[in-house]
Amino acid sequence: MHFASLTVDPAFRVGEVDPRLYGSFVEHLGRCVYEGIHEPGHPDADQHGFRRDVAALTRELGVPIVRYPGGNFVSGYHWEDGIGPVAERPTRIDLAWRTIEPNQVGVDEFQRWADSVGAATMMAVNLGTRGIDAARGLVEYCNHPSGTSWSDRRRANGAADPYAIKVWCLGNEMDGPWQIGHKTAVDYGRLAAETGKAMRLVDPSIELVACGSSSRAMPTFGSWEATVLAETYEVADYVSMHAYYQERDGDRDSFLASAVDMDAFIDAVVATADHVRAVGRHRKRINISFDEWNVWYQSRFAGERNLSIQRTPRLIEDVYSVTDAVVVGNLLISLLRHADRVKIACQAQLVNVIGLIMTEPGGPAWRQSSYHPFALTSRHGRGTVLRVEPNSPVYETAIHGPVPVLDAVAVQSPDGVVLFAVNRDQRQELTLDVDLRALPSLTVADHVALFDDDPDAVNDATDPDRVTPRRLDPPKVDGAGVQAVLPPLSWNMIRLTTAP
């Protein structure tokens, strides 16, 4: 058995959790939209064709914002194709994912769905094949009250009130050679700056996200951010980050330490943004929109160029194990640990495509294993993040070097303190001593953990609840601290409250 310790003290404040840190992502990719959130004719579809079972699971997740409509898809998308009478909308070939796009779901339908699940829309504009004019027209359509061509078109399409979409992405992954309309950092930065300026002239209240690197592994990483932010600093509020992780070649020890890479990635982007701020003598700070993150087994994907053109193909439908879920929970810990700068984050994606939720056409919807740490962190990780500085044994990894067995963060709210922790050791329990002397009123503890005797166990349509969180025996709180035992390879939530 391992032994570790940490201290929970309100003095170790990181920052307030922006609820948008628990966002998700819906892209016109595979079965995320069609047969995912939208399936007319399904026994549980509403009058607009949206699946009620998927909507209920989305509300349970507590997702406050959803990025839409892409992703790579947006770089070839004409948003005008998705408005007006559905029967009159054109069918297009989506070049990003080589699929037939029927445009049955567009701006108005998605906004109606987002409202129904209690989420704001984070809208992306096409800076691949389009630019300033299309983007400012979309802002006018969505956010201007009335009396102009686009706003009156929205009203004629059934939405009398403006959508008041707050957050807008200035394109997607424009550093990537795979992107339709791929650009250099200078070309993208200048286009994004002028596009953002025009969009804000339509609606001065919007917040804008400039494209950062599509991954830390890109050869232009760092220099891309520096160049783009030098061009866009005055117009942008956030710079985006994207990261996906997977187990490679059976190296589970390194995979379980994926959050070490996420921490380093965030620190590097923050340092670059602050360098541009210093050089440009800017007053505001650029924050982070980590608007794509997840476990994704990209090595299993044939690549979009090898796909035949299809309608609603099953693309990138990874099935997640207990191990994957523990890593997802650990990535959430990393995002919380940087709550002072990471203000928006979008798990990618919501349904079917590397999704938290899976569906079958005409059949059930169910929670993947990764759904559970996300839902519990979203529900209970609201408040002030506290740095806990664990004292932990370490283990050696091939990719990250020596890594702590324990990773943890705390969130304080008026209800008490919630501690999120992972035990990365695959074989041994970890006894954790938590020093609570700075918070002597906390006297009750509740311990929920996600783990399994089979670390490769998954949820599927035949056994949708094979992997679920377990409530463990409550740890004892003695006024000075609490001791909890974390199972091997586990994600844990320990809630500390005052007596009722």
Side-chain angles (χ1 to χ4, degrees):
M1 178 180 288
H2 292 301
F3 294 88
S5 62
L6 57 81
T7 299
V8 177
D9 191 319
F12 299 160
R13 183 181 183 278
V14 174
E16 295 299 309
V17 178
D18 188 319
R20 297 175 299 177
L21 186 141
Y22 301 115
S24 190
F25 180 28
V26 167
E27 181 174 3
H28 286 248
L29 192 177
R31 297 192 312 121
C32 188
V33 174
Y34 307 113
E35 298 183 3
I37 66 172
H38 187 261
E39 189 183 340
H42 187 278
D44 205 21
D46 65 16
Q47 69 271 30
H48 304 295
F50 290 100
R51 289 183 56 153
R52 291 187 179 91
D53 53 355
V54 173
L57 290 172
T58 303
R59 284 190 288 271
E60 183 184 323
L61 273 175
V63 172
I65 193 167
V66 179
R67 184 168 172 247
Y68 176 84
N72 294 354
F73 173 83
V74 79
S75 292
Y77 181 51
H78 286 217
W79 64 267
E80 301 92 333
D81 288 347
I83 63 173
V86 172
E88 299 175 11
R89 297 180 189 177
T91 297
R92 306 285 192 191
I93 297 175
D94 164 40
L95 298 179
W97 301 109
R98 297 182 60 77
T99 57
I100 300 297
E101 173 53 55
N103 284 303
Q104 302 298 292
V105 173
V107 173
D108 300 303
E109 289 82 12
F110 183 80
Q111 187 62 42
R112 185 184 299 122
W113 176 83
D115 288 342
S116 76
V117 298
T121 297
M122 179 178 179
M123 187 69 77
V125 301
N126 178 354
L127 294 190
T129 62
R130 307 187 80 188
I132 299 170
D133 202 46
R136 64 146 180 158
L138 182 54
V139 177
E140 182 182 318
Y141 183 87
C142 292
N143 287 10
H144 194 70
S146 63
T148 66
S149 176
W150 284 123
S151 61
D152 287 346
R153 182 84 65 89
R154 183 200 69 243
R155 293 171 62 87
N157 290 337
D161 295 327
Y163 296 139
I165 294 173
K166 185 76 171 176
V167 185
W168 296 76
C169 300
L170 295 166
N172 173 75
E173 293 187 354
M174 299 309 299
D175 64 324
W178 58 85
Q179 202 71 209
I180 304 299
H182 163 63
K183 293 173 175 60
T184 67
V186 171
D187 287 345
Y188 165 72
R190 288 175 177 171
L191 176 60
E194 293 304 313
T195 302
K197 184 166 63 178
M199 293 167 70
R200 196 164 271 149
L201 287 171
V202 178
D203 183 353
S205 72
I206 61 175
E207 298 178 350
L208 298 171
V209 183
C211 286
S213 295
S214 50
S215 83
R216 190 182 178 208
M218 292 297 291
T220 55
F221 169 62
S223 63
W224 173 275
E225 281 79 3
T227 302
V228 167
L229 288 177
E231 297 287 347
T232 64
Y233 206 98
E234 288 302 321
V235 74
D237 300 288
Y238 309 92
V239 61
S240 72
M241 295 179 63
H242 294 177
Y244 295 101
Y245 299 96
Q246 69 174 79
E247 183 179 330
R248 296 181 183 275
D249 303 321
D251 183 6
R252 187 158 289 182
D253 280 338
S254 293
F255 177 51
L256 287 165
S258 295
V260 172
D261 180 86
M262 180 179 268
D263 287 339
F265 189 11
I266 295 171
D267 291 343
V269 174
V270 167
T272 304
D274 287 349
H275 167 76
V276 177
R277 176 177 183 257
V279 170
R281 294 173 172 80
H282 301 286
R283 305 187 78 175
K284 71 176 183 181
R285 290 188 187 276
I286 295 288
N287 286 319
I288 303 298
S289 173
F290 212 130
D291 45 49
E292 287 189 34
W293 70 269
N294 203 352
V295 171
W296 175 12
Y297 286 86
Q298 291 176 286
S299 59
R300 300 173 186 168
F301 178 48
E304 55 270 25
R305 294 189 179 183
N306 297 313
L307 302 174
S308 59
I309 296 175
Q310 303 178 60
R311 185 184 293 267
T312 324
R314 291 178 180 257
L315 292 181
I316 318 177
E317 297 194 8
D318 286 354
V319 177
Y320 292 126
S321 68
V322 172
T323 302
D324 298 323
V326 170
V327 172
V328 166
N330 200 172
L331 297 176
L332 284 162
I333 288 172
S334 176
L335 293 171
L336 284 169
R337 185 162 37 239
H338 295 90
D340 57 331
R341 298 300 289 270
V342 178
K343 299 301 180 181
I344 301 171
C346 301
Q347 170 276 335
Q349 295 185 17
L350 181 65
V351 189
N352 288 327
V353 178
I354 53 175
L356 298 175
I357 302 165
M358 298 296 287
T359 70
E360 278 299 319
W366 65 95
R367 306 167 186 83
Q368 288 239 55
S369 63
S370 55
Y371 180 101
H372 296 293
F374 187 100
L376 288 169
T377 306
S378 173
R379 187 176 311 143
H380 299 288
R382 308 289 179 109
T384 303
V385 177
L386 304 179
R387 184 168 41 85
V388 295
E389 298 297 340
N391 181 9
S392 168
V394 299
Y395 71 102
E396 194 66 33
T397 69
I399 295 176
H400 309 291
V403 169
V405 169
L406 172 72
D407 196 15
V409 73
V411 180
Q412 184 180 29
S413 72
D415 297 328
V417 169
V418 180
L419 183 68
F420 300 102
V422 293
N423 177 7
R424 292 166 169 155
D425 193 286
Q426 299 181 56
R427 290 162 291 275
Q428 296 188 56
E429 293 180 334
L430 185 146
T431 297
L432 174 61
D433 288 312
V434 182
D435 186 331
L436 296 173
R437 283 175 293 179
L439 295 162
S441 63
L442 299 178
T443 58
V444 179
D446 179 42
H447 185 181
V448 173
L450 188 78
F451 65 103
D452 198 278
D453 292 338
D454 179 4
D456 297 312
V458 301
N459 294 339
D460 57 29
T462 60
D463 194 356
D465 296 316
R466 168 68 179 83
V467 178
T468 57
R470 307 185 197 181
R471 192 172 300 278
L472 304 184
D473 291 338
K476 293 182 180 180
V477 184
D478 64 9
V482 62
Q483 185 178 84
V485 178
L486 313 188
L489 209 168
S490 63
W491 172 88
N492 301 263
M493 181 182 74
I494 301 169
R495 294 191 298 161
L496 303 159
T497 61
T498 57

